[in-house]
Every structure is written in structure tokens, then in C-alpha cells.
Amino acid sequence: MIAPLDVQLDRDDRTMVQPDVLVVCDRGKVVRRCVYGAPDFVAEILSKSTWEKDMYVKLGKYEAAGVREYWIVDPKKKRVLVYDFEHTDFPALYTFMDQIPVGIFDGESGEESMELTEEILRDALHYGKAFTKLGRTAQYIPELRAVNRYYLGICTMDLDGNVLEVGDTRVPFTIQSISKLVSLILAIRDCGADHLFHEKVGVEPTGDPFNSIVKLETKTRPFNPFINAGAITVASCIQGKDADEKFGRFLEFTRKLCNNHEIALNQPVYESERETGDRNRALAYYLKASGILEGDVEECLDFYFRMCSVDVTAHDIAYMSLVLANHGIDPLDGEELIEPQYAKAIRALMLTCGMYDGSGEFAMTVGFPAKSGVGGGIAVPLVDRMGIGVFGPALDEKGNSAGGIKILEYLS
Ligand code: GLN
């Protein structure tokens, strides 16, 4: 059924396609098959132009033996991935997407992947620096607006204990939306994944900005746990008699995930978030009125503002990413901090929704699961391989670190 794969894609053979099912082949061997209902991000990845100069992944359409196939070519490594219409499990898609950077391209072929060195990181940082001036720091509160927008740093930690750091990796910044990873893990623990993902939040990308309210009127549940509406809902599912107790649990867990027991609240940022958080307040009250958010709205928001206002560094979030990359196991002492199946689910959500309405573009140009925050951080878990923490407070128009994205694009 699958045609031989030694096909070379013609540069002009670019076609817009809407595939339904995915079959992944590596040199004629089917390595993964999966169906997807209709996740827009995949259609978007596959249908958008992928001919940008820094990309090695190209998209084409191929007709063979009456089967429509869609394939992506990696000309650098001479690998072809074929996509066609077959049937198997939906979750496999996420596994596949999750593994593109490290599983299929590097691991399974037996090819040695290039070793990451400090010099490569320096080059990546240098490349990313040029883009910091195109972005601006988050403008909604003075504490974030005033941050030096030229800060840029990257820290990588692999499973063998190698740590590389270049640039501003020890400069504290507020965790902001990266905290949504931590709160999601706690909420899964506290109220169960079934209840959370069936009753409270969905798992689909929205294509809208992170603080958008528009879909709440047409759809009761927030689309995913990483947009603000979803994250506020998730925050309401965390156990604790009040915001203090919830935040205590959150902080303790963040410290564990980052392997840094000094992580603490940034009080001025928290106060500003609370004072200026009317949009989040509007989301929360709307959710309460729709019966999604339970409990005291102000208490829930108070916890949400605090969890966004915790100071971390790129080094800290590299460790958190490493835990996610290591299936939820703390690599230092072997403690299971996240159940492996949920570490996997979270990596999948990072890939589809972690960069807000920039997730499709980011998946296409970088392909790593990632979670950003308006403080300028990006957490990147590369499964079975490494955790990456990036910091660059100059943001693009979607609220993602402008220089940080470029660093990751360079490395990918
Ligand atoms: N504190 C921010 C907010 O809720 C966090 C959003 C973000 O990092 N994108 O608006």
C-alpha cells in the first residue's frame, strides 16, 4: 500500500492539503499510524507553507495506488514521512508529534544525533539576540514592562546530568503561564484526569489569544488548560481550604519540579496582577455563571494571580522540563513527581496548545513541545533526552518570547 519512499520532492510541488489520517514511514517501513478526529493544528501544520528558509521539513502531496498520501521530507537527513488514509489510535498522533525532534529523526534510525555543545548554544543565543529588539516586554503591568528586553538565556539539562548554560540563565523572571503546567499536574492529582478533561476543560487548541473570552459564550468548557479561562478553571480544581493553602501546595511542588527550594513569590508582581486582573476576573465570573468554575471566585483568582507571580530562572524551568522529558521522574532521586501517562499528556498539550495561538506555527518551525509565559520563559521537554529552559522577556505579538523562539528554531 505504501509506495517506495525514495522520492525527491520538487520545490514547486507545494500543495495545500487537509489530511485525515496519518501514516508515518521511515524508508519504506511504517513506523507509526494514527487517525485524528480533526485537530486543526495538524491540518494547519500540513497545509501551511513550510518552505521557510530555516526549515528542513517540507510538505508535499503524493498519489499512489489509489491511496492519497501526504508526506514530509527532511532533505538534510534524507528521510521521508508519508501520510495517508488509514485507521488506528488517536493518541498515537500525539506520540508521533511529540517524538519528531528526537524519536523518529534521530533515535529510531540508529543515526547519531549531533551532540549539543556550549558553542552551539552560543551560536543559537547570538542568532536569537537579533530578534529581541523586534519584541516588547509584557506591557500590562509596570513590573513586567520595565524588564530589560535584551535579556536572553538558555539552559539545557540532559538525562546524563550534563548542564549547559549561556546568557541570562540565572536572572529571575515571573513564571506566568508556565505555572499552568504545575497547576495542571496538581489538579489532575486532586480531581482526576477523567473529571478534569471531561467536565472542566478540553484538550484542543483555540487559535485565539490566551486571554480571549470569545469562545466561552458558544462553548461552555474552556478549550484547553493553558488558555487563561482553562487555567483559571484548573486552578479552581486544586484542593486547599483557601488561596493560602492552595498556593502553599503549588509553591512546594514548583520547588520540587525545579529542584530549587528557594523559589518564592514576587510580591510586587502579584499585587499588580491582582490589581489589574479585570480581564481574568471577567473570565472567572463568566465561568462561574456557566457552572464550570466552582467555589469562591475571588479566592480562586487570588491563587491564580499568585501562581503566575512566582520567580524562577531559565535554569529552574530547564529542570522542570527535564522531569517532564523523563516521564515525570525526578532524575536525581528517582522520585515519581508526575505519573508517566500524565507527563506524556502534558507534553502533548504543550505541543498543541503551549504557545497559545502561535502553537501551530511553532510546531511547524520548531516542532518541540513547549510552554511559554509572558514573563519571557519557555519550558521545553524533549522526551528521553533533555529539558530546556529559555528566558527572553521581549515578546512577539502572541505573547511568546521573540528571541527565545528563535533560539529554539536554531537548535531544532
Ligand atoms: N498573568 C498572566 C495573565 O493571566 C499570565 C498569562 C501568560 O503568561 N500568558 O494574564
Side-chain angles (χ1 to χ4, degrees), residues 133-179:
K133 60 175 168 298
L134 300 178
R136 359 189 250 167
T137 53
Q139 299 289 301
Y140 67 97
I141 52 175
E143 290 78 7
L144 297 183
R145 199 185 310 137
V147 172
N148 174 358
R149 71 173 164 151
Y150 297 109
Y151 277 140
L152 198 59
I154 173 164
C155 174
T156 65
M157 296 183 186
D158 72 17
L159 285 166
D160 298 325
N162 302 308
V163 179
L164 297 174
E165 287 180 71
V166 298
D168 305 305
T169 56
R170 303 292 177 135
V171 173
F173 59 90
T174 46
I175 187 169
Q176 297 294 348
S177 281
I178 301 171
S179 65

mmCIF file of all heavy atoms in Angstrom, residues 133-179:
data_model
loop_
_atom_site.group_PDB
_atom_site.id
_atom_site.type_symbol
_atom_site.label_atom_id
_atom_site.label_comp_id
_atom_site.label_asym_id
_atom_site.label_seq_id
_atom_site.Cartn_x
_atom_site.Cartn_y
_atom_site.Cartn_z
ATOM 1 N N LYS A 133 15.063 42.715 19.762
ATOM 2 C CA LYS A 133 14.634 44.106 19.564
ATOM 3 C C LYS A 133 13.334 44.219 18.765
ATOM 4 O O LYS A 133 12.709 45.263 18.729
ATOM 5 C CB LYS A 133 15.743 44.959 18.946
ATOM 6 C CG LYS A 133 16.241 44.535 17.603
ATOM 7 C CD LYS A 133 17.250 45.597 17.108
ATOM 8 C CE LYS A 133 18.028 45.133 15.894
ATOM 9 N NZ LYS A 133 18.863 43.940 16.159
ATOM 10 N N LEU A 134 12.915 43.113 18.179
ATOM 11 C CA LEU A 134 11.640 43.134 17.452
ATOM 12 C C LEU A 134 10.451 42.924 18.398
ATOM 13 O O LEU A 134 9.303 43.172 18.043
ATOM 14 C CB LEU A 134 11.614 42.041 16.375
ATOM 15 C CG LEU A 134 12.703 42.135 15.312
ATOM 16 C CD1 LEU A 134 12.601 40.961 14.343
ATOM 17 C CD2 LEU A 134 12.599 43.449 14.553
ATOM 18 N N GLY A 135 10.751 42.437 19.599
ATOM 19 C CA GLY A 135 9.659 42.184 20.540
ATOM 20 C C GLY A 135 9.579 43.266 21.595
ATOM 21 O O GLY A 135 10.404 44.175 21.645
ATOM 22 N N ARG A 136 8.552 43.186 22.451
ATOM 23 C CA ARG A 136 8.489 44.089 23.591
ATOM 24 C C ARG A 136 8.085 43.302 24.838
ATOM 25 O O ARG A 136 7.438 42.259 24.739
ATOM 26 C CB ARG A 136 7.506 45.249 23.479
ATOM 27 C CG ARG A 136 6.702 45.402 22.251
ATOM 28 C CD ARG A 136 5.994 46.729 22.320
ATOM 29 N NE ARG A 136 4.559 46.500 22.506
ATOM 30 C CZ ARG A 136 3.703 47.433 22.849
ATOM 31 N NH1 ARG A 136 4.121 48.641 23.127
ATOM 32 N NH2 ARG A 136 2.425 47.162 22.961
ATOM 33 N N THR A 137 8.500 43.835 25.961
ATOM 34 C CA THR A 137 8.144 43.162 27.205
ATOM 35 C C THR A 137 6.631 43.273 27.397
ATOM 36 O O THR A 137 5.992 44.153 26.811
ATOM 37 C CB THR A 137 8.852 43.844 28.397
ATOM 38 O OG1 THR A 137 8.552 45.236 28.339
ATOM 39 C CG2 THR A 137 10.351 43.614 28.357
ATOM 40 N N ALA A 138 6.078 42.400 28.241
ATOM 41 C CA ALA A 138 4.630 42.470 28.524
ATOM 42 C C ALA A 138 4.334 43.864 29.079
ATOM 43 O O ALA A 138 5.044 44.357 29.955
ATOM 44 C CB ALA A 138 4.265 41.391 29.536
ATOM 45 N N GLN A 139 3.289 44.478 28.553
ATOM 46 C CA GLN A 139 3.046 45.896 28.866
ATOM 47 C C GLN A 139 1.975 46.109 29.944
ATOM 48 O O GLN A 139 1.778 47.220 30.400
ATOM 49 C CB GLN A 139 2.610 46.627 27.582
ATOM 50 C CG GLN A 139 3.655 46.587 26.475
ATOM 51 C CD GLN A 139 4.864 47.461 26.775
ATOM 52 O OE1 GLN A 139 4.746 48.656 26.960
ATOM 53 N NE2 GLN A 139 6.049 46.839 26.831
ATOM 54 N N TYR A 140 1.285 45.046 30.351
ATOM 55 C CA TYR A 140 0.092 45.285 31.165
ATOM 56 C C TYR A 140 0.355 45.654 32.620
ATOM 57 O O TYR A 140 -0.531 46.155 33.291
ATOM 58 C CB TYR A 140 -0.888 44.101 31.050
ATOM 59 C CG TYR A 140 -0.400 42.801 31.666
ATOM 60 C CD1 TYR A 140 -0.784 42.430 32.957
ATOM 61 C CD2 TYR A 140 0.436 41.952 30.975
ATOM 62 C CE1 TYR A 140 -0.335 41.255 33.524
ATOM 63 C CE2 TYR A 140 0.892 40.767 31.531
ATOM 64 C CZ TYR A 140 0.503 40.429 32.811
ATOM 65 O OH TYR A 140 0.944 39.263 33.381
ATOM 66 N N ILE A 141 1.582 45.381 33.107
ATOM 67 C CA ILE A 141 1.909 45.876 34.458
ATOM 68 C C ILE A 141 3.323 46.459 34.447
ATOM 69 O O ILE A 141 4.184 45.983 33.705
ATOM 70 C CB ILE A 141 1.783 44.789 35.572
ATOM 71 C CG1 ILE A 141 2.576 43.522 35.221
ATOM 72 C CG2 ILE A 141 0.338 44.457 35.857
ATOM 73 C CD1 ILE A 141 2.581 42.489 36.351
ATOM 74 N N PRO A 142 3.576 47.483 35.257
ATOM 75 C CA PRO A 142 4.874 48.170 35.227
ATOM 76 C C PRO A 142 6.050 47.228 35.492
ATOM 77 O O PRO A 142 7.099 47.349 34.863
ATOM 78 C CB PRO A 142 4.775 49.211 36.340
ATOM 79 C CG PRO A 142 3.362 49.262 36.756
ATOM 80 C CD PRO A 142 2.636 48.100 36.195
ATOM 81 N N GLU A 143 5.854 46.268 36.400
ATOM 82 C CA GLU A 143 6.960 45.361 36.773
ATOM 83 C C GLU A 143 7.449 44.560 35.571
ATOM 84 O O GLU A 143 8.628 44.227 35.489
ATOM 85 C CB GLU A 143 6.515 44.386 37.870
ATOM 86 C CG GLU A 143 6.286 44.990 39.221
ATOM 87 C CD GLU A 143 4.955 45.730 39.315
ATOM 88 O OE1 GLU A 143 4.156 45.668 38.366
ATOM 89 O OE2 GLU A 143 4.752 46.408 40.334
ATOM 90 N N LEU A 144 6.564 44.199 34.680
ATOM 91 C CA LEU A 144 6.992 43.424 33.512
ATOM 92 C C LEU A 144 7.456 44.356 32.394
ATOM 93 O O LEU A 144 8.415 44.069 31.681
ATOM 94 C CB LEU A 144 5.862 42.520 33.009
ATOM 95 C CG LEU A 144 5.371 41.434 33.964
ATOM 96 C CD1 LEU A 144 4.304 40.575 33.300
ATOM 97 C CD2 LEU A 144 6.513 40.539 34.433
ATOM 98 N N ARG A 145 6.780 45.494 32.285
ATOM 99 C CA ARG A 145 7.127 46.451 31.234
ATOM 100 C C ARG A 145 8.579 46.922 31.404
ATOM 101 O O ARG A 145 9.304 47.110 30.434
ATOM 102 C CB ARG A 145 6.176 47.651 31.313
ATOM 103 C CG ARG A 145 6.126 48.463 30.048
ATOM 104 C CD ARG A 145 5.260 49.703 30.224
ATOM 105 N NE ARG A 145 3.959 49.414 30.793
ATOM 106 C CZ ARG A 145 3.373 50.146 31.745
ATOM 107 N NH1 ARG A 145 3.959 51.227 32.220
ATOM 108 N NH2 ARG A 145 2.196 49.812 32.217
ATOM 109 N N ALA A 146 8.998 47.087 32.657
ATOM 110 C CA ALA A 146 10.303 47.690 32.928
ATOM 111 C C ALA A 146 11.492 46.729 32.784
ATOM 112 O O ALA A 146 12.642 47.147 32.860
ATOM 113 C CB ALA A 146 10.291 48.256 34.347
ATOM 114 N N VAL A 147 11.223 45.466 32.560
ATOM 115 C CA VAL A 147 12.329 44.484 32.479
ATOM 116 C C VAL A 147 13.182 44.759 31.229
ATOM 117 O O VAL A 147 12.657 45.175 30.192
ATOM 118 C CB VAL A 147 11.750 43.037 32.432
ATOM 119 C CG1 VAL A 147 12.834 42.009 32.162
ATOM 120 C CG2 VAL A 147 11.018 42.711 33.719
ATOM 121 N N ASN A 148 14.483 44.544 31.352
ATOM 122 C CA ASN A 148 15.400 44.734 30.215
ATOM 123 C C ASN A 148 15.054 43.735 29.108
ATOM 124 O O ASN A 148 15.196 42.529 29.268
ATOM 125 C CB ASN A 148 16.829 44.502 30.721
ATOM 126 C CG ASN A 148 17.852 44.526 29.600
ATOM 127 O OD1 ASN A 148 17.494 44.689 28.426
ATOM 128 N ND2 ASN A 148 19.110 44.368 29.965
ATOM 129 N N ARG A 149 14.617 44.258 27.973
ATOM 130 C CA ARG A 149 14.119 43.339 26.944
ATOM 131 C C ARG A 149 15.233 42.606 26.210
ATOM 132 O O ARG A 149 14.986 41.710 25.401
ATOM 133 C CB ARG A 149 13.221 44.068 25.954
ATOM 134 C CG ARG A 149 13.942 45.010 25.028
ATOM 135 C CD ARG A 149 12.942 45.511 23.997
ATOM 136 N NE ARG A 149 13.471 46.683 23.335
ATOM 137 C CZ ARG A 149 13.172 47.025 22.109
ATOM 138 N NH1 ARG A 149 12.355 46.301 21.406
ATOM 139 N NH2 ARG A 149 13.682 48.099 21.573
ATOM 140 N N TYR A 150 16.476 43.003 26.467
ATOM 141 C CA TYR A 150 17.591 42.330 25.776
ATOM 142 C C TYR A 150 18.117 41.114 26.531
ATOM 143 O O TYR A 150 19.024 40.437 26.073
ATOM 144 C CB TYR A 150 18.724 43.327 25.490
ATOM 145 C CG TYR A 150 18.246 44.413 24.553
ATOM 146 C CD1 TYR A 150 18.049 45.713 25.001
ATOM 147 C CD2 TYR A 150 17.946 44.112 23.226
ATOM 148 C CE1 TYR A 150 17.567 46.699 24.144
ATOM 149 C CE2 TYR A 150 17.456 45.093 22.366
ATOM 150 C CZ TYR A 150 17.273 46.374 22.833
ATOM 151 O OH TYR A 150 16.795 47.327 21.982
ATOM 152 N N TYR A 151 17.552 40.865 27.701
ATOM 153 C CA TYR A 151 17.938 39.627 28.392
ATOM 154 C C TYR A 151 17.653 38.445 27.482
ATOM 155 O O TYR A 151 16.615 38.385 26.811
ATOM 156 C CB TYR A 151 17.075 39.409 29.640
ATOM 157 C CG TYR A 151 17.500 40.133 30.881
ATOM 158 C CD1 TYR A 151 16.529 40.695 31.719
ATOM 159 C CD2 TYR A 151 18.833 40.233 31.251
ATOM 160 C CE1 TYR A 151 16.885 41.351 32.898
ATOM 161 C CE2 TYR A 151 19.197 40.889 32.425
ATOM 162 C CZ TYR A 151 18.224 41.437 33.237
ATOM 163 O OH TYR A 151 18.578 42.068 34.388
ATOM 164 N N LEU A 152 18.557 37.487 27.485
ATOM 165 C CA LEU A 152 18.307 36.261 26.732
ATOM 166 C C LEU A 152 19.214 35.166 27.290
ATOM 167 O O LEU A 152 20.410 35.405 27.525
ATOM 168 C CB LEU A 152 18.610 36.487 25.241
ATOM 169 C CG LEU A 152 18.012 35.470 24.261
ATOM 170 C CD1 LEU A 152 16.490 35.419 24.346
ATOM 171 C CD2 LEU A 152 18.421 35.796 22.828
ATOM 172 N N GLY A 153 18.672 34.013 27.516
ATOM 173 C CA GLY A 153 19.483 32.924 28.046
ATOM 174 C C GLY A 153 18.865 31.577 27.740
ATOM 175 O O GLY A 153 17.660 31.468 27.521
ATOM 176 N N ILE A 154 19.704 30.578 27.706
ATOM 177 C CA ILE A 154 19.208 29.208 27.518
ATOM 178 C C ILE A 154 19.998 28.252 28.387
ATOM 179 O O ILE A 154 21.230 28.353 28.492
ATOM 180 C CB ILE A 154 19.244 28.759 26.035
ATOM 181 C CG1 ILE A 154 18.873 27.264 25.935
ATOM 182 C CG2 ILE A 154 20.589 29.008 25.366
ATOM 183 C CD1 ILE A 154 18.499 26.790 24.560
ATOM 184 N N CYS A 155 19.276 27.337 29.006
ATOM 185 C CA CYS A 155 19.903 26.299 29.819
ATOM 186 C C CYS A 155 19.370 24.943 29.345
ATOM 187 O O CYS A 155 18.168 24.790 29.131
ATOM 188 C CB CYS A 155 19.522 26.522 31.285
ATOM 189 S SG CYS A 155 20.096 25.221 32.375
ATOM 190 N N THR A 156 20.268 24.001 29.127
ATOM 191 C CA THR A 156 19.832 22.646 28.768
ATOM 192 C C THR A 156 20.372 21.663 29.816
ATOM 193 O O THR A 156 21.480 21.827 30.312
ATOM 194 C CB THR A 156 20.356 22.207 27.373
ATOM 195 O OG1 THR A 156 21.781 22.124 27.409
ATOM 196 C CG2 THR A 156 19.936 23.177 26.290
ATOM 197 N N MET A 157 19.555 20.682 30.120
ATOM 198 C CA MET A 157 19.986 19.628 31.061
ATOM 199 C C MET A 157 19.610 18.294 30.446
ATOM 200 O O MET A 157 18.441 18.096 30.114
ATOM 201 C CB MET A 157 19.227 19.741 32.379
ATOM 202 C CG MET A 157 19.497 21.013 33.114
ATOM 203 S SD MET A 157 18.625 20.991 34.678
ATOM 204 C CE MET A 157 18.968 22.660 35.223
ATOM 205 N N ASP A 158 20.590 17.425 30.294
ATOM 206 C CA ASP A 158 20.217 16.130 29.723
ATOM 207 C C ASP A 158 20.131 15.062 30.800
ATOM 208 O O ASP A 158 20.441 15.303 31.972
ATOM 209 C CB ASP A 158 21.117 15.746 28.543
ATOM 210 C CG ASP A 158 22.524 15.366 28.976
ATOM 211 O OD1 ASP A 158 22.724 15.086 30.174
ATOM 212 O OD2 ASP A 158 23.416 15.339 28.112
ATOM 213 N N LEU A 159 19.722 13.878 30.394
ATOM 214 C CA LEU A 159 19.471 12.826 31.380
ATOM 215 C C LEU A 159 20.737 12.216 31.941
ATOM 216 O O LEU A 159 20.713 11.466 32.905
ATOM 217 C CB LEU A 159 18.571 11.748 30.771
ATOM 218 C CG LEU A 159 17.114 12.198 30.665
ATOM 219 C CD1 LEU A 159 16.311 11.274 29.767
ATOM 220 C CD2 LEU A 159 16.468 12.264 32.037
ATOM 221 N N ASP A 160 21.886 12.548 31.318
ATOM 222 C CA ASP A 160 23.149 12.073 31.881
ATOM 223 C C ASP A 160 23.726 13.074 32.877
ATOM 224 O O ASP A 160 24.847 12.915 33.346
ATOM 225 C CB ASP A 160 24.174 11.853 30.760
ATOM 226 C CG ASP A 160 23.705 10.786 29.794
ATOM 227 O OD1 ASP A 160 23.067 9.834 30.274
ATOM 228 O OD2 ASP A 160 23.944 10.920 28.582
ATOM 229 N N GLY A 161 22.982 14.140 33.135
ATOM 230 C CA GLY A 161 23.446 15.112 34.121
ATOM 231 C C GLY A 161 24.269 16.244 33.525
ATOM 232 O O GLY A 161 24.832 17.061 34.262
ATOM 233 N N ASN A 162 24.369 16.309 32.199
ATOM 234 C CA ASN A 162 25.108 17.412 31.585
ATOM 235 C C ASN A 162 24.241 18.668 31.563
ATOM 236 O O ASN A 162 23.102 18.623 31.103
ATOM 237 C CB ASN A 162 25.507 17.071 30.140
ATOM 238 C CG ASN A 162 26.351 15.822 30.094
ATOM 239 O OD1 ASN A 162 27.353 15.715 30.807
ATOM 240 N ND2 ASN A 162 25.941 14.856 29.281
ATOM 241 N N VAL A 163 24.817 19.749 32.060
ATOM 242 C CA VAL A 163 24.097 21.021 32.079
ATOM 243 C C VAL A 163 24.892 22.037 31.260
ATOM 244 O O VAL A 163 26.090 22.192 31.447
ATOM 245 C CB VAL A 163 23.946 21.543 33.529
ATOM 246 C CG1 VAL A 163 23.215 22.889 33.544
ATOM 247 C CG2 VAL A 163 23.204 20.527 34.387
ATOM 248 N N LEU A 164 24.218 22.693 30.339
ATOM 249 C CA LEU A 164 24.850 23.765 29.567
ATOM 250 C C LEU A 164 24.042 25.038 29.787
ATOM 251 O O LEU A 164 22.808 24.997 29.780
ATOM 252 C CB LEU A 164 24.858 23.433 28.070
ATOM 253 C CG LEU A 164 25.643 22.201 27.615
ATOM 254 C CD1 LEU A 164 25.402 21.952 26.124
ATOM 255 C CD2 LEU A 164 27.132 22.378 27.882
ATOM 256 N N GLU A 165 24.742 26.139 29.963
ATOM 257 C CA GLU A 165 24.038 27.403 30.184
ATOM 258 C C GLU A 165 24.750 28.511 29.450
ATOM 259 O O GLU A 165 25.974 28.638 29.586
ATOM 260 C CB GLU A 165 24.089 27.787 31.667
ATOM 261 C CG GLU A 165 23.231 26.977 32.566
ATOM 262 C CD GLU A 165 23.345 27.432 34.016
ATOM 263 O OE1 GLU A 165 22.843 28.512 34.354
ATOM 264 O OE2 GLU A 165 23.964 26.694 34.811
ATOM 265 N N VAL A 166 24.042 29.302 28.705
ATOM 266 C CA VAL A 166 24.637 30.516 28.143
ATOM 267 C C VAL A 166 23.645 31.671 28.295
ATOM 268 O O VAL A 166 22.441 31.475 28.256
ATOM 269 C CB VAL A 166 25.052 30.374 26.651
ATOM 270 C CG1 VAL A 166 26.112 29.318 26.451
ATOM 271 C CG2 VAL A 166 23.865 30.097 25.769
ATOM 272 N N GLY A 167 24.186 32.851 28.486
ATOM 273 C CA GLY A 167 23.348 34.052 28.621
ATOM 274 C C GLY A 167 22.736 34.171 30.007
ATOM 275 O O GLY A 167 23.305 33.704 30.998
ATOM 276 N N ASP A 168 21.555 34.770 30.053
ATOM 277 C CA ASP A 168 20.962 35.194 31.329
ATOM 278 C C ASP A 168 20.131 34.091 31.968
ATOM 279 O O ASP A 168 18.918 34.249 32.178
ATOM 280 C CB ASP A 168 20.117 36.444 31.072
ATOM 281 C CG ASP A 168 20.941 37.530 30.390
ATOM 282 O OD1 ASP A 168 21.992 37.891 30.940
ATOM 283 O OD2 ASP A 168 20.548 37.987 29.301
ATOM 284 N N THR A 169 20.793 33.003 32.291
ATOM 285 C CA THR A 169 20.059 31.835 32.793
ATOM 286 C C THR A 169 19.782 31.899 34.291
ATOM 287 O O THR A 169 19.047 31.063 34.802
ATOM 288 C CB THR A 169 20.844 30.541 32.520
ATOM 289 O OG1 THR A 169 22.139 30.691 33.111
ATOM 290 C CG2 THR A 169 20.982 30.278 31.048
ATOM 291 N N ARG A 170 20.404 32.868 34.983
ATOM 292 C CA ARG A 170 20.157 32.961 36.425
ATOM 293 C C ARG A 170 19.432 34.246 36.787
ATOM 294 O O ARG A 170 19.366 34.622 37.953
ATOM 295 C CB ARG A 170 21.487 32.858 37.195
ATOM 296 C CG ARG A 170 22.280 31.588 36.898
ATOM 297 C CD ARG A 170 21.572 30.351 37.426
ATOM 298 N NE ARG A 170 22.313 29.157 37.056
ATOM 299 C CZ ARG A 170 22.571 28.158 37.896
ATOM 300 N NH1 ARG A 170 22.144 28.186 39.131
ATOM 301 N NH2 ARG A 170 23.236 27.105 37.472
ATOM 302 N N VAL A 171 18.922 34.913 35.790
ATOM 303 C CA VAL A 171 18.131 36.125 36.049
ATOM 304 C C VAL A 171 16.696 35.694 36.365
ATOM 305 O O VAL A 171 16.074 34.983 35.578
ATOM 306 C CB VAL A 171 18.131 37.046 34.802
ATOM 307 C CG1 VAL A 171 17.176 38.221 34.999
ATOM 308 C CG2 VAL A 171 19.535 37.533 34.497
ATOM 309 N N PRO A 172 16.170 36.119 37.528
ATOM 310 C CA PRO A 172 14.802 35.699 37.847
ATOM 311 C C PRO A 172 13.760 36.419 36.992
ATOM 312 O O PRO A 172 13.933 37.582 36.637
ATOM 313 C CB PRO A 172 14.631 36.077 39.320
ATOM 314 C CG PRO A 172 15.799 36.894 39.691
ATOM 315 C CD PRO A 172 16.802 36.904 38.586
ATOM 316 N N PHE A 173 12.721 35.705 36.672
ATOM 317 C CA PHE A 173 11.579 36.297 35.963
ATOM 318 C C PHE A 173 10.331 35.588 36.459
ATOM 319 O O PHE A 173 10.426 34.475 37.005
ATOM 320 C CB PHE A 173 11.731 36.132 34.439
ATOM 321 C CG PHE A 173 11.843 34.708 33.981
ATOM 322 C CD1 PHE A 173 10.714 33.958 33.641
ATOM 323 C CD2 PHE A 173 13.089 34.080 33.916
ATOM 324 C CE1 PHE A 173 10.825 32.641 33.235
ATOM 325 C CE2 PHE A 173 13.205 32.747 33.514
ATOM 326 C CZ PHE A 173 12.072 32.030 33.174
ATOM 327 N N THR A 174 9.169 36.208 36.282
ATOM 328 C CA THR A 174 7.976 35.521 36.794
ATOM 329 C C THR A 174 7.541 34.414 35.833
ATOM 330 O O THR A 174 7.537 34.579 34.630
ATOM 331 C CB THR A 174 6.808 36.489 37.096
ATOM 332 O OG1 THR A 174 6.652 37.391 36.035
ATOM 333 C CG2 THR A 174 7.046 37.221 38.401
ATOM 334 N N ILE A 175 7.164 33.330 36.456
ATOM 335 C CA ILE A 175 6.847 32.091 35.732
ATOM 336 C C ILE A 175 5.646 32.258 34.808
ATOM 337 O O ILE A 175 5.559 31.646 33.755
ATOM 338 C CB ILE A 175 6.631 30.952 36.761
ATOM 339 C CG1 ILE A 175 6.467 29.596 36.094
ATOM 340 C CG2 ILE A 175 5.448 31.237 37.657
ATOM 341 C CD1 ILE A 175 6.526 28.415 37.076
ATOM 342 N N GLN A 176 4.697 33.101 35.217
ATOM 343 C CA GLN A 176 3.467 33.375 34.457
ATOM 344 C C GLN A 176 2.813 32.078 33.973
ATOM 345 O O GLN A 176 2.613 31.194 34.765
ATOM 346 C CB GLN A 176 3.768 34.372 33.316
ATOM 347 C CG GLN A 176 4.234 35.727 33.836
ATOM 348 C CD GLN A 176 3.162 36.483 34.603
ATOM 349 O OE1 GLN A 176 2.002 36.132 34.594
ATOM 350 N NE2 GLN A 176 3.552 37.539 35.304
ATOM 351 N N SER A 177 2.595 31.983 32.667
ATOM 352 C CA SER A 177 1.778 30.843 32.213
ATOM 353 C C SER A 177 2.483 29.497 32.296
ATOM 354 O O SER A 177 1.833 28.460 32.126
ATOM 355 C CB SER A 177 1.305 31.071 30.788
ATOM 356 O OG SER A 177 0.214 31.945 30.806
ATOM 357 N N ILE A 178 3.786 29.501 32.538
ATOM 358 C CA ILE A 178 4.447 28.195 32.700
ATOM 359 C C ILE A 178 3.931 27.529 33.989
ATOM 360 O O ILE A 178 3.956 26.313 34.129
ATOM 361 C CB ILE A 178 5.982 28.348 32.674
ATOM 362 C CG1 ILE A 178 6.406 28.987 31.347
ATOM 363 C CG2 ILE A 178 6.690 27.010 32.850
ATOM 364 C CD1 ILE A 178 7.865 29.388 31.288
ATOM 365 N N SER A 179 3.413 28.367 34.898
ATOM 366 C CA SER A 179 2.821 27.814 36.123
ATOM 367 C C SER A 179 1.631 26.909 35.813
ATOM 368 O O SER A 179 1.231 26.090 36.631
ATOM 369 C CB SER A 179 2.352 28.956 37.035
ATOM 370 O OG SER A 179 1.304 29.671 36.402
#
